[in-house]
Amino acid sequence: MNDVVPLVGGFARFDVSTDRYPARQRVETWREEFGRTLLRIDLAPRSPEPLHAKATAYRGVNFRLLRASRDTGFSS
């Protein structure tokens, strides 16, 4: 995971961005960190275009909220 920030009350914020990786590592990093770790699904790229994506997820005991860039270039 790119950044995990503990928050009050047992909540945590997870930030994932492909900008931190070289182009050749972005697809696999996004699939692993965003798809498998945060969403628990397998993602597949929709096109061979370079990937640029960001997401922030908030997790608590019975709470989850996800904000992602509009078009990640992936489908589940």
Side-chain angles (χ1 to χ4, degrees):
M1 189 65 50
N2 284 214
D3 287 322
V4 178
V5 179
L7 303 173
V8 296
F11 287 91
R13 185 182 80 216
F14 304 86
D15 294 309
V16 181
S17 174
T18 59
D19 293 343
R20 299 176 182 193
Y21 297 93
R24 68 185 186 293
Q25 293 178 340
R26 289 178 179 172
V27 169
E28 188 54 37
T29 298
W30 189 253
R31 289 181 76 188
E32 183 63 34
E33 293 189 8
F34 181 70
R36 294 180 187 130
T37 301
L38 285 178
L39 302 180
R40 296 190 176 115
I41 61 173
D42 189 24
L43 299 173
R46 290 187 299 205
S47 76
E49 297 296 316
L51 176 66
H52 297 283
K54 294 180 182 178
T56 300
Y58 296 89
R59 280 190 182 170
V61 176
N62 291 313
F63 175 80
R64 289 195 176 133
L65 174 67
L66 173 69
R67 179 178 57 207
S69 55
R70 182 175 171 183
D71 184 11
T72 60
F74 275 77
S75 57
S76 59

